[in-house]
Amino acid sequence: MSNPELDRSTPEKTLHALEEAYRNGDFELALRCRNFEHEAELIQQHLRPAGAAPPAGPRGELADALQRQWRQARPPDFLGVVTQVVAVEHFAGRFFTVTQNIRNADGRTFPQRTFMSHAEDGWAVLCPVPAYEPPQETKPWWVFWR
């Protein structure tokens, strides 16, 4: 690892580094916890509806657009927030979903799933928006022929 201040050897260390970077307003450190190339790959190969065409344009353009969007977004407020990684599950290829238990400053607790990737240089946070299961189409109990 080139910089001892950033340890991305585990999902938990990487997520905690990102949270601490947000708490301290260190957006360059936060950027180093992300990987927009991997995020673009995840979106193009795995997160589109079945049968839908991949987003237009090369992966690099999508990665650049994702990074621009991230830079323009208001950073999350992690003051008083405590997190704990409780599960790491393989999703596809180099991609994983990581489940955390979150406790907000007001004491509310909830689970959150986040996409991450793993490569030789360590773990990276992708799509820090929670990773949810695709919605299941619910049918009334009496609809059995569809």
Side-chain angles (χ1 to χ4, degrees), residues 40-49 52-59 62:
E41 179 183 340
L42 175 68
I43 290 168
Q44 286 184 323
Q45 292 184 3
H46 303 288
L47 295 185
R48 62 180 194 266
R59 185 172 297 148
L62 179 57

Side-chain angles (χ1 to χ4, degrees), residues 51-144:
R59 185 172 297 148
E61 288 179 14
L62 179 57
D64 290 344
L66 291 167
Q67 185 172 352
R68 276 193 309 276
Q69 181 182 10
W70 176 80
R71 287 185 180 276
Q72 294 170 354
R74 184 175 158 194
D77 180 7
F78 278 98
L79 290 177
V81 174
V82 177
T83 65
Q84 177 186 17
V85 171
V86 294
V88 177
E89 300 168 81
H90 185 250
F91 181 73
R94 70 174 101 208
F95 304 110
F96 295 80
T97 55
V98 177
T99 304
Q100 292 178 282
N101 284 336
I102 311 287
R103 190 184 78 219
N104 283 336
D106 64 5
R108 288 182 302 135
T109 60
F110 59 94
Q112 175 175 296
R113 296 181 71 213
T114 304
F115 284 109
M116 295 186 74
S117 66
H118 184 256
E120 284 183 21
D121 60 345
W123 289 85
V125 180
L126 313 176
C127 308
V129 175
Y132 294 109
E133 298 297 324
Q136 299 293 322
E137 182 182 336
T138 58
K139 299 176 187 171
W141 64 268
W142 46 267
V143 178
F144 57 87

Side-chain angles (χ1 to χ4, degrees), residues 5-8 12-22 29-30 33:
E5 72 185 39
L6 179 59
D7 181 354
R8 297 185 317 142
E12 188 161 35
K13 288 179 180 179
T14 304
L15 284 162
H16 286 173
L18 179 64
E19 294 160 8
E20 197 61 31
Y22 281 137
L29 181 60
C33 295

